[in-house]
């Protein structure tokens, strides 16, 4: 089972993202007057960018890999740095700013995003070649920090309002909880326990299994939340 999952990692990962995106599109009608519609569009964005990020495999399938073989684009690190690590952080900061009512928390999130973007641009500018050969640890940590900050702020604000009495009806409570569980699964194991994954095959195997299981959990949980829950009446935009 483990070997099958690792061998077909890309396809399994794409499949669970597709399930979440399609579920979102099928339930879009009930969220069309809610900020959740933006989250659904984001899931579709994630699927599209992951498909496009597989350009090397696609070119290889059509015997056209030679087009990029001797170029900086032979690896897709640059693509996922832009579309996931930077792109997802920008989305969640913007999305949760729409949800938060507390201006102080919104400002902290906004300034945190500015710092993250400055660090990201600086990291890429100072080591531009690495932009194509690998990912930046600072950008990865920044991405996870922005997502965690967004989710934590929402739950913190929820705990200090009367909405906490009906938290089980709040889809954003579940989205935030799912994100935090995903982060708690991936941050310590992938970035610390598997710190030598680049040189140790056993750690590399463990790293990708953890990421795959975490992604399966996250995207299938998003799908269930979209199916089972309804938009909050006070979250129309």
């Amino acid at each position: 089972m483990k070997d099958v999952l690792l061998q077909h990692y890309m396809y399994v990962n794409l499949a669970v993202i597709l399930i979440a995106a399609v579920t979102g599109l099928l339930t879009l009608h009930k969220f069309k007057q809610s900020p959740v519609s933006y989250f659904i569009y984001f899931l579709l964005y994630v699927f599209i960018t992951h498909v496009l990020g597989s350009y090397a495999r696609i070119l290889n399938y059509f015997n056209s890999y030679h087009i990029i073989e001797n170029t900086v684009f032979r690896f897709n690190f640059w693509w996922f740095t832009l579309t996931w690590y930077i792109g997802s952080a920008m989305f969640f900061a913007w999305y949760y700013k729409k949800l938060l009512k507390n201006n102080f928390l919104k400002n902290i999130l906004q300034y945190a995003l500015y710092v993250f973007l400055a660090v990201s641009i600086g990291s890429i500018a100072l080591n531009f070649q690495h932009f194509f050969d690998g990912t930046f640890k600072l950008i990865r940590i920044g991405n996870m920090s922005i997502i965690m900050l967004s989710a934590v702020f929402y739950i913190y604000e929820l705990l200090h309002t009367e909405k906490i009495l009906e938290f089980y009806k709040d889809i954003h409570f579940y989205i935030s909880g799912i994100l935090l569980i995903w982060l708690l699964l991936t941050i310590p194991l992938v970035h610390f326990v598997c710190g030598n994954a680049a040189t140790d095959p056993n750690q590399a195997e463990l790293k990708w299994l953890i990421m795959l299981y975490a992604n399966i959990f996250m995207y299938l949980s998003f799908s269930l939340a979209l199916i089972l829950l309804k938009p909050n009446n006070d979250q129309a935009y």
Side-chain angles (χ1 to χ4, degrees), residues 17-126:
I17 298 173
L18 178 61
I19 290 170
V22 170
T23 301
L25 292 176
L26 292 175
T27 57
L28 184 60
H29 64 280
K30 68 177 179 179
F31 295 111
K32 61 183 178 181
Q33 297 300 321
S34 162
V36 181
S37 60
Y38 295 124
F39 180 72
I40 292 171
Y41 295 139
F42 173 72
L43 291 175
L44 184 60
Y45 159 85
V46 173
F47 176 71
I48 292 172
T49 55
H50 273 67
V51 170
L52 294 178
S54 306
Y55 62 82
R57 282 178 177 264
I58 296 170
L59 288 173
N60 189 55
Y61 179 81
F62 289 105
N63 297 315
S64 300
Y65 182 72
H66 62 275
I67 296 173
I68 61 169
E69 187 172 8
N70 296 314
T71 73
V72 293
F73 301 110
R74 64 188 182 278
F75 302 124
N76 62 4
F77 295 113
W78 67 277
W79 177 258
F80 285 107
T81 294
L82 292 175
T83 61
W84 176 254
Y85 291 117
I86 295 177
S88 65
M90 291 177 65
F91 169 77
F92 281 112
W94 172 82
Y95 185 65
Y96 276 91
K97 273 192 65 184
K98 291 183 71 67
L99 301 178
L100 294 170
K101 308 299 183 186
N102 187 306
N103 287 328
F104 179 68
L105 297 181
K106 291 167 72 171
N107 287 335
I108 292 177
L109 194 56
Q110 184 67 57
Y111 289 124
L113 179 62
Y114 289 154
V115 171
F116 168 70
L117 291 176
V119 170
S120 299
I121 294 170
S123 298
I124 294 171
L126 292 173

Side-chain angles (χ1 to χ4, degrees), residues 8-18 50 212 215 219:
H8 300 288
Y9 177 94
M10 185 189 78
Y11 302 108
V12 176
N13 196 51
L14 279 175
V16 293
I17 298 173
L18 178 61
H50 273 67
L212 184 58
N215 284 350
Y219 289 109

Side-chain angles (χ1 to χ4, degrees), residues 209-235:
L209 276 175
I210 292 168
M211 286 303 305
L212 184 58
Y213 285 132
N215 284 350
I216 290 172
F217 159 77
M218 179 171 70
Y219 289 109
L220 293 185
S221 296
F222 285 155
S223 299
L224 286 174
L226 290 167
I227 292 170
L228 299 175
L229 296 166
K230 297 178 181 179
N232 292 0
N233 292 331
D234 62 343
Q235 287 183 341

Side-chain angles (χ1 to χ4, degrees), residues 7 25 30 54 71 87 95 136 167-168 171 178 195 202 209:
Q7 184 179 356
L25 292 176
K30 68 177 179 179
S54 306
T71 73
Y95 185 65
F136 295 85
F167 72 91
Y168 54 89
I171 188 170
I178 291 165
N202 292 324
L209 276 175

